[in-house]
Amino acid sequence: MRLTAGYFILFQSISLSVKIHFMNLEAIIGLEIHAQISTKTKMFCGCDNDAFGKEPNSCICPVCTGQPGTLPVPNSSAIEKGAKAALALGCRILPHSKFDRKNYFYPDLPAGYQISQFDEPISEHGAIEIEVRDPSTGESKLKKKIGITRLHLENDAGKLTHVGNSSLVDFNRAGTPLMEIVSKPDIRSPAEARAYAEAVQAIVQYAGSSHADMFKGEMRFDASVSLRPVGEERLYPRAEIKNLNSFKALESAIAYEIKRQTKLWEAGTPPASEQTVGWNDEKGETYLMREKESAADYRYFPEPDIPPLEFTPEQIAAWKSELPELPLARRARFVQDYQLTEQDAATLTADKVLADYFEEVAEKSGQPKKAANWVLTEVLGRMKNKLLAEDGNEMAFEDGEGILLEDSIDSVLDLKFTASQLAALIKMIEDGAISGKQAKEILDFMFVGEDGGDPAAIAKAKGMEQVSDSSAIEKFVDEVIAANESVVADFKSGKGNALGFLVGQVMKASGGQANPKLVNELLAKKLN
Ligand SMILES: [Zn+2]
């Protein structure tokens, strides 16, 4: 059955709560995604922007700690990367934009204001296509377009850690360049929200604008959720769930909020005012933080220390021309050129690093389909097992494929063997130098970096190279034929499985090292 988008939305809602169907309500969801821009230095000063794992307050200066009399200097690389992400998300770069001060007090915001963009952002009017798994089949995916209102630039705040009755502040993150990507309220279910967030993550990574590593807090979500009776056009007061830091939290928090608001609607008391809520991951519920602030509360005004941004059409065209092939296009090409399944192509292209790795293995081995299989099943499978075996990584896999993949991606770069070496392993199987089973054993050694990850050296050192010398195999064949007269008779009388048994005996006699193809050929020749 072919479902239209409308049916699908309803179906999603039903699966969340039977009561939604009863009330005939639909969820209206919008996301604000904050992604750190991957620059060497911070947004407005020369401090190291890669503070992950570094001593607290070791990457700071008078500018990013908001000292009086300091002047911010915009980072041109952050602006370029932000603009490229915007273009990759289908946004239009505005020829003229500016920075504004967003005033509020918080202990991790030393200046007392954030430098952001208010009414003239760097870009507007984007859209991306997402695919959501059809809940009725679990397989086929339904396409949908999600609008993007704007992508603007700003700087991040520091980080507070609460210990007992004290709070510690680390300003290493203060001043990190951020892009805020604001979607239109086009999302209708937790699954769509996740699909959208994953698509944005892949796109900003492809654009080279952000590593968007969830584990390092480089990408975070705020989700606005409201309900309305199906058929109505107006929007009702929304709850904004702040600071969701995993795809799982995003899905769970939205699902919870839909249930909570559905109860209010059914009780005849739908939400009357906008609220800002937090998400308690342990309890699996949202909690009220405050009535939602509006733009007026921040007293925005143009940043007096930074001149407006001006871009020529030539500059914008140059950025656009520098963008690489984006995830959806690359996926379609993998299906077309390498005959991969849609699912395999989707998994491989979800991250550029993984896709690049796969393509190198595919090209160097000349076996794209086998390369996909080795990368997805053998390499990613071993990475998952390794991570599961390490303490503290259980959380990573509760989130399923998304996080597994995300984590694997960093690890593809960290592997102790190269794409060329994996390609060489695949070629060794094709050439009959080793069996598939031996190749898997060799890969285990490659994972721990034995012999520099060189499969041929490992095969030799472990005595795993297949014997492809026919005179050596002939000796084993003769022995097996002599020792199994009755089976040979069975074969001659037409019993099909007799040959398989004899092949097995020759393999056993050779210690598993005979080339099975040669064994088959020689046995057939001798017996006929
Ligand atoms: Zn600084």
Side-chain angles (χ1 to χ4, degrees), residues 237-503:
R238 62 195 166 133
E240 187 179 39
I241 316 165
K242 293 299 246 188
N243 259 324
L244 298 163
N245 54 17
S246 73
F247 293 118
K248 187 189 166 205
L250 176 71
E251 261 188 305
S252 311
I254 293 172
Y256 176 86
E257 196 52 35
I258 291 172
K259 262 187 205 159
R260 186 184 73 83
Q261 292 184 25
T262 301
K263 280 185 195 149
L264 293 174
W265 275 86
E266 286 178 355
T269 54
S273 63
E274 307 226 310
Q275 291 181 337
T276 299
V277 303
W279 171 245
N280 185 322
D281 218 14
E282 272 166 38
K283 289 190 182 163
E285 56 190 43
T286 57
Y287 59 91
L288 179 66
M289 292 167 79
R290 54 185 181 262
E291 293 299 306
K292 189 166 165 40
E293 63 289 341
S294 68
D297 296 324
Y298 290 118
R299 304 290 190 272
Y300 280 98
F301 66 86
E303 167 60 57
D305 292 335
I306 304 175
L309 301 173
E310 310 277 352
F311 305 117
T312 61
E314 292 74 26
Q315 175 65 79
I316 296 166
W319 283 332
K320 204 165 189 172
S321 71
E322 284 164 26
L323 283 176
E325 181 182 35
L326 293 170
L328 278 184
R330 195 170 198 187
R331 187 167 122 191
R333 182 168 61 79
F334 279 12
V335 171
Q336 176 77 29
D337 292 2
Y338 300 140
Q339 277 83 52
L340 302 190
T341 63
E342 278 280 347
Q343 182 59 49
D344 286 355
T347 309
L348 287 168
T349 53
D351 181 276
K352 187 171 181 295
V353 173
L354 184 65
D356 289 347
Y357 182 82
F358 157 72
E359 266 206 293
E360 196 181 338
V361 178
E363 275 163 23
K364 291 190 170 154
S365 67
Q367 305 277 340
K369 265 191 94 77
K370 292 207 168 78
N373 204 24
W374 275 82
V375 169
L376 288 170
T377 310
E378 302 302 331
V379 175
L380 291 189
R382 276 168 179 74
M383 283 179 180
K384 180 181 170 181
N385 290 339
K386 182 170 169 276
L387 272 173
L388 282 174
E390 287 166 4
D391 282 345
N393 272 311
E394 292 84 356
M395 287 292 290
F397 291 95
E398 281 183 13
D399 204 22
E401 202 177 17
I403 289 283
L404 159 63
L405 187 63
E406 190 182 325
D407 204 67
S408 309
I409 279 135
D410 285 332
S411 315
V412 169
L413 293 174
D414 297 337
L415 286 172
K416 296 198 166 80
F417 55 93
T418 62
S420 300
Q421 288 173 324
L422 182 62
L425 181 71
I426 295 168
K427 279 190 86 166
M428 283 165 72
I429 310 168
E430 290 312 301
D431 296 345
I434 52 169
S435 68
K437 189 165 162 274
Q438 286 173 323
K440 288 176 191 175
E441 287 172 38
I442 292 171
L443 186 61
D444 287 335
F445 291 113
M446 289 164 72
F447 256 83
V448 292
E450 199 146 312
D451 288 311
D454 177 358
I458 295 169
K460 200 167 181 190
K462 306 290 170 194
M464 277 199 263
E465 275 179 315
Q466 279 188 359
V467 177
S468 293
D469 169 4
S470 50
S471 64
I473 296 174
E474 216 170 329
K475 196 178 129 254
F476 294 125
V477 169
D478 289 341
E479 282 169 17
V480 167
I481 288 175
N484 293 281
E485 277 174 23
S486 64
V487 184
V488 170
D490 283 348
F491 173 77
K492 289 189 171 160
S493 69
K495 284 193 183 164
N497 55 358
L499 183 65
F501 175 80
L502 293 171
V503 169

Side-chain angles (χ1 to χ4, degrees), residues 42 45 47 60-61 64:
K42 291 186 180 180
C45 62
C47 290
I60 59 172
C61 76
C64 55

